[in-house]
Amino acid sequence: MPADPLHRAGTSQRSAKSQPTDGSRASAIEVRRSARRRRTVSAYREGDRTVVLIPARMSEAEEQRWVRVMLDKLAAQESRRTLGDAELAERARRLSEQYFEGRARPHSVRWVTNQNTRWGSCTPSDGSIRLSHRLQGMPEYVVDYVLCHELAHLLVPGHGPRFWRLLEAYPKTERARGYLEGVVAADRLPHVPGARDE
């Protein structure tokens, strides 16, 4: 196999990638490969850019997978740190502008601790949206999906075809639904005892 000049030992290689604007903080991704890095992958925010540090020998497919994993991890950390009720309401306003032409206007948006079987709820008559505290710490795109779902209910109360067409405006709907289905499935798994439990 011929030597790859981008992956030579002792050098750090950088590649920049554009990230579509989807409401998340970072707008660009920079991948930095290092020959000294053997197994670990890390990421951090640097202004409007996300820097992902990976081993030089990692394949392109592994790089893409790890970039997605690290973006989700960073988003979850940021979601845990920053989203209070006021930030949640502001986020709902921005999402309404971005995906529903500002037509969905909630009167209140807040976290609640009494929703253990639903991710969110909406009362169209008074314009209130409530999100389960269980979403705190999940990736931003998941929280945004639940907010969009509830915002769509301000415009269309039921779950008919019109509602789902409206929600298609949010580009990460399927990905977020898959994530939430995975969380629900993991909660249903039986406890597998470890060596210490036996």
Side-chain angles (χ1 to χ4, degrees):
M1 184 157 139
D4 182 351
L6 290 177
H7 301 143
R8 274 193 301 247
T11 60
S12 176
Q13 302 298 322
R14 297 179 182 195
S15 64
K17 299 181 181 200
S18 290
Q19 181 71 3
T21 305
D22 59 5
S24 63
R25 258 188 60 197
S27 60
I29 300 166
E30 181 180 323
V31 177
R32 295 181 186 167
R33 290 177 174 267
S34 170
R36 289 185 297 205
R37 190 173 282 271
R38 298 285 178 215
R39 290 187 209 125
T40 61
V41 176
S42 61
Y44 61 91
R45 303 283 194 207
E46 191 174 78
D48 68 345
R49 159 185 318 272
T50 301
V51 178
V52 181
L53 307 170
I54 64 172
R57 62 179 172 69
M58 193 172 277
S59 72
E60 186 70 26
E62 289 174 308
E63 174 184 316
Q64 289 174 9
R65 183 177 70 82
W66 276 106
V67 165
R68 283 192 305 271
V69 166
M70 298 313 288
L71 287 175
D72 285 350
K73 238 181 185 177
L74 284 173
Q77 290 169 355
E78 289 163 356
S79 201
R80 272 195 300 272
R81 272 197 311 263
T82 60
L83 283 185
D85 287 349
E87 292 88 1
L88 199 60
E90 174 58 23
R91 193 154 177 177
R93 187 196 63 74
R94 284 195 322 263
L95 290 167
S96 176
E97 288 293 327
Q98 188 171 2
Y99 299 112
F100 306 115
E101 300 168 348
R103 294 180 298 129
R105 295 188 188 115
H107 291 275
S108 69
V109 182
R110 61 191 174 93
W111 296 109
V112 294
T113 57
N114 63 350
Q115 288 189 28
N116 294 316
T117 59
R118 295 199 278 180
W119 297 113
S121 62
C122 171
T123 307
S125 61
D126 68 6
S128 63
I129 291 176
R130 295 159 303 280
L131 295 191
S132 171
H133 71 287
R134 296 177 305 137
L135 288 165
Q136 291 174 324
M138 288 189 188
E140 285 182 7
Y141 74 91
V142 175
V143 176
D144 286 353
Y145 162 72
V146 177
L147 275 171
C148 283
H149 185 107
E150 302 310 330
L151 286 166
H153 277 310
L154 292 177
L155 303 172
V156 179
H159 285 108
R162 192 168 150 241
F163 172 83
W164 293 111
R165 275 194 307 274
L166 189 62
L167 195 54
E168 284 174 1
Y170 182 64
K172 295 188 177 180
T173 292
E174 289 307 313
R175 184 176 176 200
R177 289 182 68 180
Y179 184 100
L180 292 172
E181 287 170 5
V183 170
V184 169
D187 284 347
R188 291 183 183 148
L189 291 174
H191 172 69
V192 179
R196 291 182 213 169
D197 295 340
E198 294 174 355

Coordinates of all heavy atoms in Angstrom, one line a residue, residues 83-93 105-115 118-123 126-136 143 146-148 150-151 154:
L83 N -29.5 25.2 29.1 CA -30.9 25.4 28.8 C -31.8 25.5 30.1 O -32.1 24.5 30.6 CB -31.4 24.3 27.9 CG -31.1 24.4 26.5 CD1 -31.8 23.3 25.7 CD2 -31.4 25.8 25.9
G84 N -32.1 26.7 30.5 CA -33.1 26.9 31.5 C -34.4 27.2 30.8 O -34.5 27.2 29.5
D85 N -35.5 27.6 31.5 CA -36.8 27.8 30.9 C -36.7 29.0 29.9 O -37.3 29.0 28.8 CB -37.8 28.1 31.9 CG -38.2 26.8 32.7 OD1 -37.9 25.7 32.2 OD2 -39.0 26.9 33.7
A86 N -36.0 30.1 30.3 CA -35.9 31.3 29.4 C -35.2 30.9 28.1 O -35.6 31.3 27.0 CB -35.1 32.4 30.2
E87 N -34.1 30.1 28.2 CA -33.4 29.7 27.0 C -34.2 28.8 26.1 O -34.2 28.9 24.9 CB -32.0 29.1 27.3 CG -31.0 30.0 27.9 CD -31.1 30.1 29.5 OE1 -32.0 29.4 30.1 OE2 -30.3 30.8 30.0
L88 N -35.0 28.0 26.8 CA -35.9 27.0 26.1 C -36.9 27.8 25.3 O -37.2 27.5 24.1 CB -36.5 26.1 27.1 CG -37.1 24.8 26.6 CD1 -36.1 23.9 25.9 CD2 -37.8 24.0 27.7
A89 N -37.5 28.8 25.9 CA -38.5 29.7 25.3 C -37.9 30.4 24.1 O -38.5 30.5 23.0 CB -39.1 30.7 26.2
E90 N -36.7 30.9 24.2 CA -36.0 31.6 23.1 C -35.7 30.6 22.0 O -35.8 31.0 20.8 CB -34.7 32.3 23.6 CG -33.8 32.9 22.6 CD -34.5 33.9 21.7 OE1 -35.5 34.5 22.2 OE2 -34.1 34.2 20.6
R91 N -35.3 29.4 22.3 CA -35.0 28.4 21.3 C -36.3 28.1 20.5 O -36.2 27.9 19.3 CB -34.5 27.2 22.0 CG -33.9 26.2 21.1 CD -32.9 25.5 21.9 NE -32.3 24.4 21.3 CZ -31.4 23.7 21.9 NH1 -31.0 24.0 23.1 NH2 -30.7 22.8 21.2
A92 N -37.4 28.0 21.3 CA -38.7 27.7 20.6 C -39.0 28.8 19.6 O -39.5 28.6 18.5 CB -39.8 27.5 21.6
R93 N -38.8 30.0 20.0 CA -39.1 31.2 19.2 C -38.2 31.1 17.9 O -38.7 31.3 16.8 CB -38.8 32.5 19.9 CG -39.2 33.7 19.1 CD -38.6 35.0 19.7 NE -37.1 35.0 19.5 CZ -36.5 35.2 18.4 NH1 -37.1 35.3 17.3 NH2 -35.1 35.2 18.4
R105 N -46.6 30.4 18.0 CA -46.2 31.4 19.0 C -46.6 30.9 20.4 O -47.7 31.2 20.8 CB -46.8 32.7 18.7 CG -46.2 33.3 17.4 CD -46.7 34.8 17.3 NE -46.3 35.3 16.0 CZ -47.2 35.6 15.0 NH1 -48.5 35.5 15.3 NH2 -46.8 36.0 13.9
P106 N -45.8 30.2 21.1 CA -46.2 29.7 22.4 C -46.2 30.9 23.4 O -45.4 31.8 23.3 CB -45.1 28.7 22.8 CG -43.9 29.1 22.0 CD -44.5 29.7 20.7
H107 N -47.1 30.8 24.4 CA -47.1 31.8 25.5 C -46.1 31.4 26.6 O -45.6 32.3 27.3 CB -48.5 31.9 26.1 CG -49.5 32.6 25.1 ND1 -49.6 33.9 25.0 CD2 -50.3 32.0 24.2 CE1 -50.4 34.2 24.0 NE2 -50.9 33.0 23.5
S108 N -45.9 30.1 26.7 CA -44.9 29.6 27.7 C -44.3 28.3 27.2 O -44.9 27.5 26.6 CB -45.5 29.4 29.1 OG -46.4 28.3 29.1
V109 N -43.0 28.2 27.5 CA -42.2 27.0 27.2 C -41.4 26.7 28.5 O -40.6 27.6 28.9 CB -41.3 27.2 26.0 CG1 -40.6 25.9 25.7 CG2 -42.1 27.7 24.8
R110 N -41.5 25.5 29.0 CA -40.8 25.2 30.3 C -40.5 23.7 30.4 O -41.2 22.9 29.8 CB -41.5 25.8 31.5 CG -42.9 25.1 31.7 CD -43.7 25.9 32.7 NE -45.1 25.4 32.8 CZ -45.5 24.4 33.6 NH1 -44.6 23.9 34.5 NH2 -46.7 24.0 33.6
W111 N -39.5 23.4 31.3 CA -39.2 22.1 31.7 C -40.2 21.6 32.8 O -40.6 22.5 33.6 CB -37.8 21.9 32.2 CG -36.7 22.3 31.3 CD1 -35.9 23.4 31.3 CD2 -36.3 21.4 30.2 NE1 -35.0 23.3 30.2 CE2 -35.2 22.1 29.6 CE3 -36.7 20.2 29.7 CZ2 -34.5 21.6 28.5 CZ3 -36.0 19.7 28.6 CH2 -35.0 20.4 28.0
V112 N -40.6 20.4 32.8 CA -41.4 19.8 33.8 C -40.9 18.5 34.3 O -40.2 17.8 33.5 CB -42.9 19.7 33.4 CG1 -43.6 21.1 33.2 CG2 -43.1 18.8 32.2
T113 N -41.2 18.1 35.5 CA -40.7 16.8 36.0 C -41.8 15.8 36.2 O -41.5 14.7 36.7 CB -40.0 17.1 37.4 OG1 -41.0 17.7 38.3 CG2 -38.8 17.9 37.3
N114 N -43.0 16.1 35.8 CA -44.1 15.2 35.9 C -44.5 14.4 34.6 O -45.5 13.8 34.6 CB -45.3 15.9 36.5 CG -45.8 17.0 35.6 OD1 -45.2 17.3 34.6 ND2 -47.0 17.5 35.9
Q115 N -43.6 14.5 33.6 CA -43.9 13.8 32.4 C -42.9 12.6 32.2 O -41.8 12.8 31.7 CB -43.8 14.7 31.2 CG -44.9 15.7 31.1 CD -45.0 16.4 29.8 OE1 -44.5 15.9 28.8 NE2 -45.5 17.6 29.8
R118 N -44.1 10.8 28.4 CA -44.1 11.6 27.2 C -42.9 12.5 27.2 O -42.4 12.9 28.3 CB -45.3 12.5 27.1 CG -46.6 11.7 27.0 CD -47.7 12.5 26.4 NE -48.3 13.3 27.5 CZ -49.4 14.1 27.3 NH1 -49.8 14.3 26.1 NH2 -49.9 14.8 28.3
W119 N -42.4 12.8 26.0 CA -41.2 13.7 25.9 C -41.7 15.2 26.0 O -40.9 16.0 26.4 CB -40.5 13.5 24.6 CG -39.9 12.1 24.5 CD1 -40.3 11.1 23.7 CD2 -38.9 11.6 25.3 NE1 -39.5 10.0 23.9 CE2 -38.7 10.2 24.9 CE3 -38.1 12.1 26.4 CZ2 -37.7 9.4 25.5 CZ3 -37.1 11.2 26.9 CH2 -37.0 9.9 26.5
G120 N -42.9 15.5 25.6 CA -43.4 16.8 25.6 C -44.9 16.9 25.5 O -45.5 15.8 25.2
S121 N -45.5 18.0 25.8 CA -46.9 18.2 25.6 C -47.2 19.6 25.3 O -46.4 20.5 25.6 CB -47.7 17.7 26.9 OG -47.3 18.5 28.0
C122 N -48.3 19.8 24.7 CA -48.7 21.2 24.3 C -50.2 21.4 24.6 O -51.0 20.4 24.3 CB -48.4 21.3 22.8 SG -49.1 22.8 22.1
T123 N -50.6 22.5 25.0 CA -52.0 22.9 25.2 C -52.3 24.1 24.2 O -52.0 25.2 24.6 CB -52.3 23.3 26.6 OG1 -51.9 22.2 27.5 CG2 -53.8 23.5 26.8
D126 N -54.1 27.5 25.4 CA -53.4 28.5 26.2 C -52.0 28.7 25.7 O -51.2 29.6 26.2 CB -53.5 28.3 27.7 CG -52.6 27.1 28.1 OD1 -51.9 26.5 27.3 OD2 -52.7 26.7 29.3
G127 N -51.6 28.0 24.6 CA -50.2 28.2 24.0 C -49.1 27.8 24.9 O -48.0 28.3 24.8
S128 N -49.3 26.8 25.8 CA -48.2 26.3 26.7 C -47.6 25.1 26.1 O -48.3 24.2 25.6 CB -48.7 26.1 28.1 OG -49.7 25.1 28.1
I129 N -46.3 25.0 26.2 CA -45.5 23.8 25.8 C -44.7 23.4 27.1 O -44.1 24.3 27.7 CB -44.5 24.2 24.7 CG1 -45.4 24.4 23.4 CG2 -43.5 23.1 24.4 CD1 -44.5 24.8 22.2
R130 N -44.7 22.1 27.3 CA -43.9 21.6 28.4 C -43.0 20.4 27.9 O -43.5 19.6 27.1 CB -44.9 21.0 29.5 CG -45.7 22.1 30.1 CD -47.0 21.6 30.8 NE -47.9 20.9 29.9 CZ -48.7 21.5 29.0 NH1 -48.8 22.8 28.9 NH2 -49.5 20.7 28.3
L131 N -41.8 20.4 28.3 CA -40.8 19.4 27.9 C -40.4 18.6 29.1 O -40.2 19.2 30.2 CB -39.6 19.9 27.2 CG -39.8 20.6 25.9 CD1 -38.4 20.9 25.2 CD2 -40.6 19.9 24.9
S132 N -40.4 17.3 29.0 CA -39.9 16.4 30.1 C -38.5 16.7 30.4 O -37.6 16.9 29.6 CB -40.1 15.0 29.7 OG -39.5 14.1 30.7
H133 N -38.2 16.8 31.7 CA -36.8 17.0 32.2 C -35.9 15.9 31.7 O -34.7 16.0 31.7 CB -36.8 17.0 33.7 CG -37.1 15.7 34.4 ND1 -38.3 15.1 34.4 CD2 -36.2 14.8 35.0 CE1 -38.2 13.9 35.0 NE2 -37.0 13.8 35.4
R134 N -36.5 14.7 31.3 CA -35.6 13.6 30.8 C -34.9 14.0 29.5 O -33.9 13.3 29.2 CB -36.5 12.3 30.6 CG -37.1 11.8 31.9 CD -38.0 10.6 31.6 NE -39.1 10.9 30.7 CZ -39.5 10.1 29.7 NH1 -38.9 9.0 29.5 NH2 -40.4 10.5 28.9
L135 N -35.3 15.0 28.8 CA -34.6 15.5 27.6 C -33.4 16.2 27.9 O -32.5 16.4 27.1 CB -35.6 16.3 26.8 CG -36.7 15.6 26.1 CD1 -37.7 16.7 25.6 CD2 -36.2 14.8 24.9
Q136 N -33.3 16.8 29.2 CA -32.1 17.6 29.5 C -30.9 16.7 29.4 O -30.8 15.6 29.9 CB -32.2 18.1 30.9 CG -33.3 19.2 31.0 CD -33.6 19.7 32.4 OE1 -33.5 18.9 33.4 NE2 -33.9 21.0 32.5
V143 N -33.7 17.7 21.4 CA -34.5 18.7 22.1 C -35.2 19.6 21.0 O -36.4 19.9 21.2 CB -33.6 19.6 23.0 CG1 -34.5 20.7 23.7 CG2 -33.0 18.7 24.1
V146 N -38.2 17.8 19.6 CA -39.4 17.8 20.5 C -40.1 19.1 20.5 O -41.3 19.3 20.5 CB -39.0 17.2 21.9 CG1 -40.2 17.3 22.8 CG2 -38.5 15.8 21.8
L147 N -39.2 20.2 20.6 CA -39.8 21.5 20.5 C -40.6 21.8 19.2 O -41.7 22.3 19.3 CB -38.7 22.6 20.6 CG -38.2 22.9 22.1 CD1 -37.0 23.8 22.0 CD2 -39.4 23.6 22.8
C148 N -40.0 21.4 18.1 CA -40.7 21.5 16.8 C -42.0 20.7 16.8 O -43.0 21.2 16.3 CB -39.8 21.1 15.7 SG -38.5 22.3 15.2
E150 N -43.9 20.0 19.3 CA -44.9 20.7 20.1 C -45.3 22.0 19.5 O -46.5 22.4 19.5 CB -44.4 20.9 21.6 CG -44.1 19.6 22.3 CD -45.2 18.5 22.2 OE1 -46.4 18.9 22.2 OE2 -44.8 17.4 22.3
L151 N -44.4 22.7 18.8 CA -44.7 24.0 18.1 C -45.7 23.6 17.0 O -46.7 24.4 16.7 CB -43.5 24.6 17.5 CG -42.6 25.3 18.5 CD1 -41.2 25.6 17.9 CD2 -43.2 26.6 19.1
L154 N -49.3 23.6 18.0 CA -49.9 24.9 18.1 C -50.7 25.3 16.8 O -51.6 26.1 16.8 CB -48.9 26.0 18.4 CG -48.3 26.0 19.8 CD1 -47.3 27.1 20.0 CD2 -49.4 26.1 20.9

